[in-house]
Amino acid sequence: MIFLLNSLDKNSQIKIIKDLSKIIYKSPFFTPTLPRFNKPFKIKISNAGKWGWISNIQGYQYVEKHPETKKNWPEIPSSLLYLWQKHCCKIKMPDSCLINLYSFPNSSLGLHQDNNEKDLTNPVLSISLGSNAIFRYGKNKTNLNEICLKTGSICILKDSSRLYYHGVKKIQKVKENIIDECDFDCFPKNCRINITLRKFEG
Ligand code: MD3
Ligand code: FE
């Protein structure tokens, strides 16, 4: 696991937030639910790319259409593809971009592994924007590291870290939230957005 803390400058973060607002306009946030129990997650999500990750009573899956609008997901913006090429891979492009919305103060994400992708040797790239996340991760559930992911931080998962357990314990609000400064109605005040770029198909 490679952390590039505060790696994106303000202008690149603003460009990404604008691109996200266009995605959310076409593909609104929705609340995923837990497989089997159908209990709502404490985050909202949307996607871009050919394959969007969803969760509902049936399980976790990658699907080509938004579960509510039934439309294809919007394209992954070039501002994000550029970061994938810079930090992950020049050859294979991601085909999935999950956008997680954390509201302050009640959002969190339980400890889990990401193993729904077909080829787990492909890397994952994550970008944090807005409020801070208290992020926990480790090889086992019992021995976790904790780190504060601030706005503009990038996290790269490859090789042995690809199957680490990880989750977001809580959200901490910040004095100047760059998402609030952009002033889009689609994002609540004091929120955090996490973007994960992945390759779902081989
Ligand atoms: C470690 N998202 O969407 S991003 C997820 O902050 C997810 O929203 C978190 O976990 C968030 O699945 C964490 C950092 C991250 C992403 C993928 C990973 C860490 C990872 C895959 C494997 C190991
Ligand atoms: Fe995850």
Side-chain angles (χ1 to χ4, degrees):
M1 173 149 349
I2 301 167
F3 293 108
L4 307 171
L5 300 178
N6 313 314
S7 144
L8 298 171
D9 66 24
K10 211 163 171 177
N11 284 330
S12 355
Q13 292 180 52
I14 291 170
K15 171 70 172 114
I16 293 170
I17 293 163
K18 279 188 188 159
D19 289 341
L20 292 177
S21 74
K22 293 180 200 163
I23 295 172
I24 298 309
Y25 179 71
K26 293 188 253 180
S27 187
F29 285 118
F30 60 95
T31 305
T33 63
L34 285 165
R36 311 237 326 272
F37 308 107
N38 214 29
K39 193 172 120 86
F41 276 64
K42 291 184 179 171
I43 61 171
K44 292 183 182 185
I45 65 171
S46 189
N47 290 275
K50 181 170 186 214
W51 296 102
W53 184 90
I54 65 166
S55 177
N56 57 32
I57 193 155
Q58 297 161 9
Y60 305 136
Q61 59 192 121
Y62 281 94
V63 297
E64 288 184 281
K65 293 186 192 306
H66 189 292
E68 292 171 2
T69 68
K70 318 285 185 205
K71 289 187 189 163
N72 289 326
W73 308 103
E75 283 187 18
I76 303 177
S78 57
S79 56
L80 297 177
L81 295 176
Y82 163 80
L83 294 174
W84 175 274
Q85 287 192 301
K86 179 170 171 181
H87 296 290
C88 284
C89 177
K90 310 267 179 291
I91 309 158
K92 284 187 185 177
M93 283 297 106
D95 57 14
S96 174
C97 171
L98 172 64
I99 305 159
N100 291 341
L101 176 70
Y102 294 78
S103 300
F104 179 81
N106 285 326
S107 283
S108 60
L109 182 65
L111 210 56
H112 66 277
Q113 287 178 299
D114 290 15
N115 52 18
N116 297 111
E117 300 74 31
K118 290 183 183 166
D119 181 351
L120 296 172
T121 67
N122 288 321
V124 175
L125 181 122
S126 129
I127 302 151
S128 293
L129 296 166
S131 286
N132 296 340
I134 306 303
F135 179 72
R136 298 188 299 170
Y137 67 97
K139 191 173 163 53
N140 316 106
K141 284 184 177 181
T142 48
N143 192 352
L144 299 173
N145 307 297
E146 206 170 278
I147 184 172
C148 178
L149 294 179
K150 295 196 162 79
T151 194
S153 298
I154 291 179
C155 180
I156 301 149
L157 299 313
K158 49 176 142 185
D159 308 322
S160 62
S161 65
R162 183 67 182 73
L163 287 171
Y164 277 11
Y165 288 92
H166 58 281
V168 174
K169 192 158 91 177
K170 65 172 180 186
I171 299 303
Q172 276 179 348
K173 79 173 163 189
V174 290
K175 282 211 192 91
E176 296 191 323
N177 184 313
I178 193 159
I179 303 171
D180 292 343
E181 289 169 16
C182 293
D183 202 28
F184 290 111
D185 290 339
C186 53
F187 306 124
K189 295 289 166 244
N190 299 307
C191 74
R192 167 178 188 255
I193 296 173
N194 183 266
I195 304 162
T196 44
L197 295 172
R198 295 185 173 83
K199 187 121 182 69
F200 165 63
E201 288 184 308

